[in-house]
Structures are given as C-alpha cells and as structure tokens.
Amino acid sequence: MAATILDGNKIAAEIRAEVAAEVKTMGAAGIRPGLAVVLVGHNPASEIYVRGKVKSSEEVGISSEQHTPPDNVSTGQLLSLIADLNRRDEIDGILVQLPLPSQVDSKKVLLSVDPAKDVDGFHPMNVGFLSTQRPGLVPCTPAGIIEILSRSHIPIAGREVVVVGRSDIVGKPVAMLLLNANATVTVCHSKTRDLPGVCRRADILVAAIGRAGMITRDYVKLGATVIDVGMNKVTDRAEFMRLFAGNAKREETFRTKGAVLVGDVHPEVAEIAGAITPVPGGVGPLTIAMLMANTVRAAKLR
Ligand code: NDP
C-alpha cells in the first residue's frame, strides 16, 4: 500500500495562520514582533532563502528588515552590526544567513547574537536549554519535524526512532527533541556499521544526510514513518534515471530546468513506508513557518 503523504505545505500554512493570529493579538497590545535578517554578499541560494523569509514575515505581520553587508565584510564589522541589533528593543529575532564568507569567523559571529534573539536556535545557550529541557529557542527545521509528526497524529513516545545525520543544525537537535518527547533514539552517521540494519529498526526514520536518494527500501521497515530532510539538486542524467525513471512529471522538470530537487530518500520508499514527507513540499516549508513562530516566541519571552 502506498504511504500517506505528510503535506508540509498544508501544515506550514496552519502554523503561519496561528502565528498571524498571535501577531494580531500582540498588535492590539501595541507590540509588533520584529525580525532582522543579515545576508552577506550575493550567494544566489541564500538570496532565495532570505527573500522567502522576508516575504513570510510580511504575510504574518512580523516587521522585518534586511542588512546586506558586502562579500568582503570583516568579522569585526559583522560583530558591530550584531551588537547594534542586540541593543535595539524593536528587534526580537536576529538571523544570520549561512554560509558566511571564508574570511569571517562564523562561530564568533553566531556566538555574538543575544541568545534571547537567536531565532535560529544555534547559540550554545539555546542548545543547552534544549538538552536540559528548559524554555528557549529551538532550531527551526528540527522543530518543524516535531510539528509534522504531532499534527499528523504520529505517536513519538516509546517508539524506536533512527536519525541519520548528526549535524548541529538538524541531526543533533532533532534527536534531542525526539528524546525529550520520550522516543528511544539512535543517531547514525558516516561511521555507523550496518546502516541499513540499524535504520530498519526504526518506527520513525529521519534522514538528514545531504545525499540524493541514499535511503532505499533496504533501509526501511514496512509501515515506518519516514521524514526526509534532504534537499539535493540533481543535475546528472544517470543519477536522475536512478531516482525517477518513468516519472513523467519529474522528467518534464528535468528537461526544462536541467535539474530536480531530491531528498535523501529514494522515491521507491513511498511503496513500503506507512507515511512519508515529500521533497519538495515536506520538511522545507516548515523551516520558514517555524522561524516565524520562533520570532513571536522570542518577542513573548523577552
Ligand atoms: P551536514 O552535511 O552538516 O551533515 C550530514 C550528516 O550526514 C553528517 O552527520 C554525516 O556524517 C552524515 N552522513 C553523510 N554521508 C553519510 C553516509 N554515507 N552514511 C551515513 N551518514 C552520512 O548536513 P545538514 O545536517 O546541514 O543537512 C542535511 C540535509 O538536509 C542536506 O541535504 C540539507 O540541504 C538538508 N537541509 C534541509 C533543510 C530544510 O529546511 N528542509 C534545512 C537544513 C538542511 P558525519 O558526521 O560522520 O560526517
């Protein structure tokens, strides 16, 4: 039986509507949450992400401003920009779009963001709050994954969860959130032995790897829930055929655009999973929706 598709666009729209309602209520009390986005240079992918974040802010009523220092900005200049944003009372959230150019000390810059305004949830203080189950700001993509599961009524407590990937922005925080929700969590990475065997134990499998279609049916227990975080651009014809041979819609996209967006999970997994997030339209839309939710949360916590 084909898997239930977990529609990220629909869930993200629900969250945005809830956030917009909260912003309206706050507005009646004279408070308007504000988000500052720092975008260095002209990375085309970053520009697209930032445009989406600014547009989404406007739609839910959050005021937003963009700071666009040039490519050759120094660490010192960025630190002084962030110090200014930290000081300004009308700014509730600060987001520094990654990656930063190589001459910039990214860790130092991220560390300088006031943890109370760290809407990305990357500051070590917020990482500590998450692991000790104190209120704080949680990274957007992991928080979005929990929303997908809970709003789709997929139980977490007591279940076997396997997370493939241990990055600071996805793998580790999502594992921590799932552990906090009482799952039995295994975190895998590139040195894990018998990865397919470990993954087959999962009632819920989270793939955050960055390798197009790596998770094939071999890795998945019949009926498992599969959360595909991966966002990979496939431009190679042979790779495209390995993933989408016979898929007319994708063939059309590949032909016209020369590339398709693919998750870390092979499309064949939809034939055996119980539920699955599509790519695009799964986890991705939740990331921006949770950024909006985090900005409102930061405003309230402050
Ligand atoms: P990273 O590259 O930081 O981490 C990848 C992880 O996957 C590492 O822990 C790595 O292991 C592990 N890994 C790599 N190859 C293998 C392998 N062959 N077997 C087992 N584990 C492996 O990536 P991110 O966490 O930043 O992102 C992961 C994916 O999610 C990417 O495709 C990214 O584009 C996407 N993403 C999507 C978002 C969204 O909004 N939908 C948001 C953020 C990311 P090791 O630690 O041993 O190197």
Side-chain angles (χ1 to χ4, degrees), residues 159-162 184-188 194-205 219-221 224:
R159 305 188 79 205
E160 287 275 350
V161 176
V162 175
T184 300
V185 183
T186 304
V187 183
C188 300
D194 184 23
L195 187 61
V198 177
C199 290
R200 276 197 303 271
R201 294 208 305 252
D203 300 312
I204 300 172
L205 178 62
Y219 291 66
V220 181
K221 178 168 80 176

Side-chain angles (χ1 to χ4, degrees), residues 14-24 60 62 289 292-293 296:
E14 274 169 30
I15 293 171
R16 283 199 306 272
E18 290 164 15
V19 171
E22 271 188 86
V23 172
K24 206 167 167 194
V60 298
I62 289 173
M292 301 300 111
V296 169

Side-chain angles (χ1 to χ4, degrees), residues 107-172:
K107 283 202 170 148
K108 204 166 179 183
V109 170
L110 292 181
L111 203 60
S112 74
V113 175
D114 178 349
K117 297 186 178 188
D118 167 40
V119 281
D120 256 339
F122 295 158
H123 193 286
M125 182 102 88
N126 282 315
V127 176
F129 286 152
L130 172 59
S131 71
T132 53
Q133 291 188 267
R134 290 179 167 87
L137 294 165
V138 175
C140 301
T141 304
I145 293 170
I146 300 296
E147 291 293 336
I148 292 177
L149 292 171
S150 60
R151 289 174 190 251
S152 307
H153 310 290
I154 293 167
I156 300 173
R159 305 188 79 205
E160 287 275 350
V161 176
V162 175
V163 178
V164 189
R166 56 173 163 180
S167 72
D168 291 342
I169 63 167
V170 189
K172 279 185 210 160

